[in-house]
Amino acid sequence: MADTKVYKNFINGEWVESKTGETFENRNPANIDELVGIFQKSSEDDVNDAVAAAKEAYKKWRLVPAPKRAELVMKFTDRLVKEKEEFSQQMTREMGKVIKETRGDVQEAIDMGYYMAGEGRRQFGFTTPSELPNKFMMSVRQPKGVCGMITPWNFPMAIPSWKMMPALLCGNTVVIKPATLTPLSVYNYIKIIEESGIPAGVVNMVTGSGGSVGQPLMTHKDVSVISFTGSTHVGRKVSQACATDFRGCHLEMGGKNCELVMNDADVDLAVEGAVWGAFGTTGQRCTATSRMIVHKDVIKEFTEKLVARAKALKIGNGLDESVDMGPAVNESQMNSVLKYMEIGKNEDKAKLLCGGGRLTGGDYDKGFYTEPTIFGDVTPEMRIFQEEIFGSVTSITECSSLEEGIEMANNTEYGLSASIYTQDINKGFKAMRDIYTGIFYINAPTIGAEVHLPFGGVKNTGNGHREAGVAGIEVFSEWKSVYIDYSGKIQKAQIDNN
Ligand code: NAD
């Protein structure tokens, strides 16, 4: 504890302690004895300071030409490339996912940085002819102001980058509240942004709990927009808080994603996709494949092969390159997953095919390890089919046609990601058209989005916005329509145009 680094908030270009004088610990879920860092347990006062700094900095930052803002984005992204391995190792220590995946997380932030740096010279508006002579019309983008960002722990650097890069590029300033479980990765990200020369107040970070930091941030009158990624339960609170004073909010929330396997599928490929989709990031992905809907002609072969692959996965500390799956992110997440395993076991008709509990003994006792778990004979009314589990549990459900599979795929409150395995292009396109999700894959798992397409979902997964790709520019900028009349006389639209 004596040697453990104490990390501070970043407000107005300074690293400062919280006014509460309190801190909290960040521990390694693979080995709870390992203290990763000590962070500020902040409150509303710290949020107020951060928002005031962001509001002041906005006055100048919005006037910096976008290509110049982009040069800064490019500069700190170059720096991120150099720090990739170190930041990946630290991310595995703070949240447990395996090292090849944390490298992917940092890489996603790098990709987003370079993508957005390119957008600096592409802040396109449009012109269109006026209905009146000697009159010019155009639409231009403007920044929105102070953007509040509330992020989850499962992609601790990638998700902050989806939000911060387009927001900064568009001329906004930022106050970010990282997930309580993963402040170190956001600290690392902000630190290199600072060292790359961002003006004071343009980026601010306040660590602490949802109630003490997220709540005052999302209700602050000087915050123009809240960008939230997390559970549907908290997203609903964010939506309600923002609605009272018409504050913009983008919500990226939960998922219950399915892989549909048709009788003409390459079954081995579908199994590979299922293993990666269900157990990658220990199933703690919003896009995790938690439902396999499999045609009756291939369900036996698919099930046998998937169970064999799941049983062979190596579980352990994610810093070991040979490990396939790390621990749950903390004790309460592990307990929630164990609870769903019990719910599955208590279903009369569902059959536990492998796993079903906690891994114990040796090093496992120091961490929060759950077994890769598969339930068979699952039907759509079961809770394990309907509810987001966010852990190493997946289910297999039989269907007898494409149409029935699509109906089952849509039988959920969520609409984030889905996939189909088939060799028939007609089936692939029908499923793409008829399954209600924001993301869709053919012959690939439900996970694996790239930064330059919009990311997000429908139904209880989102509120109509998307982030990433050009959608990121859309949500962090405002259209302004401009009319210039050079006729030298009054011209009345709709009245003088006949
Ligand atoms: P969470 O909703 O518990 O927390 C998300 C963030 O909100 C955290 O920073 C948390 O501290 C904050 N928060 C909690 N209560 C709050 C409150 N009352 N007011 C303001 N802020 C509050 O989610 P989590 O456990 O961090 O992440 C897992 C969830 O995130 C899953 O449901 C997953 O599907 C979802 N997720 C969605 C996407 C997506 O893009 N759709 C991506 C990743 C994760």
Side-chain angles (χ1 to χ4, degrees):
M1 168 102 185
D3 295 335
T4 307
K5 183 166 173 179
V6 178
Y7 296 88
K8 297 179 180 171
N9 287 333
F10 189 59
I11 298 177
N12 205 19
E14 306 278 336
W15 293 98
V16 292
E17 288 178 359
S18 165
K19 286 179 168 168
T20 62
E22 295 177 54
T23 55
F24 65 92
E25 293 179 348
N26 182 7
R27 287 185 176 271
N28 182 347
N31 175 6
I32 204 63
D33 293 340
E34 187 187 330
L35 188 55
V36 174
I38 294 172
F39 289 83
Q40 303 303 309
K41 195 173 182 179
S42 312
S43 73
E44 185 169 3
D45 286 345
D46 305 304
V47 172
N48 289 343
D49 288 352
V51 173
K55 186 181 176 190
E56 188 57 31
Y58 176 67
K59 292 176 189 165
K60 289 193 180 150
W61 182 246
R62 75 185 186 92
L63 300 177
V64 174
K68 291 282 159 206
R69 295 194 292 253
E71 282 171 21
L72 253 179
V73 169
M74 181 73 108
K75 194 172 162 192
F76 62 70
T77 305
D78 284 343
R79 188 56 210 292
L80 193 53
V81 173
K82 296 196 176 74
E83 306 292 346
K84 178 176 169 183
E85 185 56 29
E86 176 59 26
F87 288 178
S88 306
Q89 303 246 353
Q90 292 190 22
M91 192 186 292
T92 294
R93 276 199 289 275
E94 86 166 334
M95 56 78 69
K97 71 182 168 184
V98 297
I99 184 70
K100 55 179 174 290
E101 292 189 42
T102 52
R103 287 184 192 125
D105 197 304
V106 178
Q107 185 59 45
E108 197 168 322
I110 292 168
D111 295 344
M112 184 56 87
Y114 285 142
Y115 176 76
M116 284 299 161
E119 287 294 302
R121 290 180 189 270
R122 291 167 46 87
Q123 296 290 286
F124 298 131
F126 54 89
T127 64
T128 181
S130 168
E131 66 191 31
L132 293 164
N134 299 320
K135 192 175 171 192
F136 181 82
M137 311 202 304
M138 63 181 169
S139 207
V140 296
R141 290 183 188 281
Q142 301 221 307
K144 291 190 164 181
V146 178
C147 299
M149 297 172 181
I150 301 176
T151 53
W153 46 263
N154 62 340
F155 281 85
M157 195 175 284
I159 290 177
S161 81
W162 298 354
K163 299 178 186 304
M164 287 175 62
M165 292 306 96
L168 293 175
L169 203 267
C170 290
N172 305 284
T173 55
V174 167
V175 177
I176 184 164
K177 186 211 97 62
T180 325
L181 295 170
T182 51
L184 178 58
S185 295
V186 179
Y187 167 87
N188 284 336
Y189 194 52
I190 302 278
K191 185 82 180 124
I192 60 158
I193 293 179
E194 178 212 8
E195 289 170 4
S196 303
I198 199 116
V202 172
V203 168
N204 305 272
M205 176 188 79
V206 183
T207 57
S209 72
S212 303
V213 178
Q215 177 76 22
L217 182 60
M218 73 194 189
T219 49
H220 198 296
K221 65 176 176 30
D222 290 331
V223 173
S224 309
V225 57
I226 288 286
S227 172
F228 169 85
T229 301
S231 62
T232 297
H233 167 69
V234 175
R236 185 167 280 117
K237 292 185 190 178
V238 177
S239 176
Q240 286 162 351
C242 290
T244 52
D245 50 5
F246 312 113
R247 187 187 326 246
C249 74
H250 341 140
L251 307 173
E252 304 280 359
M253 302 176 285
K256 190 71 185 173
N257 316 288
C258 81
E259 176 178 309
L260 198 50
V261 183
M262 289 291 98
N263 51 352
D264 58 9
D266 175 338
V267 172
D268 290 327
L269 188 65
V271 167
E272 283 310 305
V275 171
W276 177 224
F279 303 119
T281 321
T282 319
Q284 300 170 127
R285 287 192 185 216
C286 51
T287 49
T289 320
S290 52
R291 300 180 297 155
M292 312 290 163
I293 299 172
V294 185
H295 195 280
K296 60 180 169 44
D297 294 353
V298 291
I299 195 165
K300 188 167 177 293
E301 179 188 356
F302 176 88
T303 302
E304 283 168 7
K305 287 181 169 170
L306 180 60
V307 170
R309 289 281 284 107
K311 282 182 174 166
L313 289 173
K314 184 173 173 189
I315 322 297
N317 187 324
L319 286 176
D320 176 343
E321 299 273 358
S322 67
V323 161
D324 298 306
M325 193 180 98
V329 73
N330 70 356
E331 190 170 13
S332 99
Q333 189 62 29
M334 177 188 72
N335 287 338
S336 164
V337 173
L338 293 174
K339 184 191 84 184
Y340 274 105
M341 290 175 179
E342 291 311 308
I343 290 170
K345 288 180 206 169
N346 289 331
E347 289 285 359
D348 275 351
K349 294 193 183 127
K351 195 160 143 203
L352 179 64
L353 300 173
C354 66
R358 182 178 182 175
L359 280 161
T360 51
D363 287 346
Y364 287 141
D365 287 340
K366 291 186 169 181
F368 306 117
Y369 293 97
T370 56
E371 291 177 298
T373 297
I374 303 172
F375 287 98
D377 295 341
V378 172
T379 48
E381 73 288 352
M382 293 181 189
R383 284 184 66 187
I384 52 172
F385 185 96
Q386 292 292 340
E387 297 176 23
E388 186 181 42
I389 300 174
F390 223 57
S392 63
V393 182
T394 194
S395 63
I396 301 176
T397 303
E398 182 178 297
C399 71
S400 49
S401 65
L402 175 68
E403 290 68 28
E404 190 189 16
I406 290 173
E407 196 183 318
M408 287 176 170
N410 284 330
N411 186 349
T412 162
E413 64 173 293
Y414 299 108
L416 183 53
S417 181
S419 84
I420 185 169
Y421 281 78
T422 177
Q423 298 299 314
D424 180 341
I425 192 167
N426 298 340
K427 286 182 183 155
F429 266 80
K430 276 184 190 149
M432 183 273 287
R433 182 192 62 194
D434 294 340
I435 295 181
Y436 289 88
T437 54
I439 305 170
F440 190 77
Y441 297 88
I442 298 180
N443 292 329
T446 59
I447 66 178
E450 299 181 33
V451 300
H452 41 308
L453 280 187
F455 187 96
V458 300
K459 303 201 278 188
N460 284 356
T461 296
N463 64 339
H465 296 91
R466 295 287 186 278
E467 292 185 344
V470 280
I473 302 289
E474 287 295 332
V475 290
F476 287 108
S477 64
E478 205 83 82
W479 283 117
K480 180 174 274 184
S481 296
V482 184
Y483 301 88
I484 302 124
D485 191 322
Y486 54 98
S487 70
K489 60 182 183 186
I490 179 84
Q491 297 198 90
K492 298 173 189 145
Q494 293 88 39
I495 293 168
D496 291 342
N497 72 338
N498 49 25

